[in-house]
């Protein structure tokens, strides 16, 4: 596909692209991987700490502590997004902040904040779920297919 785009460019445009690629700064991949690894791990560590608090002080079991832990992580992520802190962390850590629960909460909250000037219903409500809606639909569909496959495999023996 990239070759097809190059074919549509004039020779001057192709030459400019090559020049721009030569002068583009190299990305510090190793540093980015390390940051993402540690920040993602830190988010998971915080989640594990919250789980341990629920188990120790609120008489939850390991099985029942998961949902309230996810809710607290979502709340913290949405709060930090609203305060502008999460975006600064994400800018520094990159993909490390894309831990599913917190990254998902950040994307929904960011969309809501971005469209708040359009009103609560059409702005916040209508745009908040543009990204989330597709993720939720995919998750439900994937869970359905996996559930069917599990049932088929367990029926056989």
């Amino acid at each position: 596909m990239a070759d097809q785009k190059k074919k549509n460019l004039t020779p001057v445009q192709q030459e400019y692209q090559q020049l721009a690629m030569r002068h583009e700064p190299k990305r510090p991949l190793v540093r980015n991987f390390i940051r993402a690894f540690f920040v993602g791990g830190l988010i998971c560590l915080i989640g594990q700490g919250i789980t341990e608090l629920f188990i120790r002080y609120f008489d939850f079991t390991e099985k029942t502590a998961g949902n309230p832990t996810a809710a607290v992580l979502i709340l913290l992520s949405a709060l930090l997004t609203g305060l502008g802190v999460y975006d600064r962390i994400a800018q520094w850590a990159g993909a490390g902040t894309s831990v599913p629960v917190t990254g998902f909460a950040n994307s929904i909250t960011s969309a809501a904040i971005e469209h708040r000037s359009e009103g609560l219903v059409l702005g916040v409500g209508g745009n908040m779920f543009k990204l989330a809606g597709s993720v939720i639909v995919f998750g439900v569909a994937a869970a359905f297919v996996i559930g069917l496959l599990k049932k088929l495999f367990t029926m056989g023996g």
Side-chain angles (χ1 to χ4, degrees), residues 108-128:
I108 291 173
T109 307
S110 294
I113 290 169
E114 183 178 339
H115 296 284
R116 71 176 176 246
S117 64
E118 298 170 25
L120 286 177
V121 175
L122 295 177
V124 174
N127 291 300
M128 178 168 70

Side-chain angles (χ1 to χ4, degrees), residues 5-139:
K5 285 183 181 179
K6 280 188 177 182
K7 289 179 185 177
N8 294 335
L9 298 177
T10 66
V12 173
Q13 290 172 326
Q14 288 178 2
E15 184 180 333
Y16 176 76
Q17 277 192 340
Q18 290 172 353
L19 176 70
M21 286 174 55
R22 281 196 304 267
H23 291 288
E24 184 177 302
K26 300 292 182 214
R27 293 189 182 123
L29 291 177
V30 173
R31 186 188 75 194
N32 291 349
F33 290 151
I34 291 169
R35 284 181 178 180
F37 176 79
F38 281 109
V39 171
L42 179 64
I43 292 170
C44 293
L45 183 66
I46 291 168
Q48 187 62 41
I50 293 168
T51 298
E52 294 299 322
L53 286 173
F54 279 124
I55 292 170
R56 184 167 302 200
Y57 296 109
F58 297 103
D59 293 327
F60 282 85
T61 65
E62 283 187 33
K63 208 173 207 179
T64 59
N67 288 336
T69 298
V72 170
L73 286 172
I74 289 168
L75 175 69
L76 289 174
S77 176
L79 181 66
L80 291 174
T81 299
L83 296 172
V85 174
Y86 197 92
D87 293 333
R88 284 195 298 250
I89 295 169
Q91 184 71 32
W92 185 82
T97 57
S98 297
V99 174
V101 170
T102 57
F104 187 64
N106 172 258
S107 66
I108 291 173
T109 307
S110 294
I113 290 169
E114 183 178 339
H115 296 284
R116 71 176 176 246
S117 64
E118 298 170 25
L120 286 177
V121 175
L122 295 177
V124 174
N127 291 300
M128 178 168 70
F129 291 108
K130 280 185 178 177
L131 170 71
S134 59
V135 172
I136 292 168
V137 168
F138 178 77

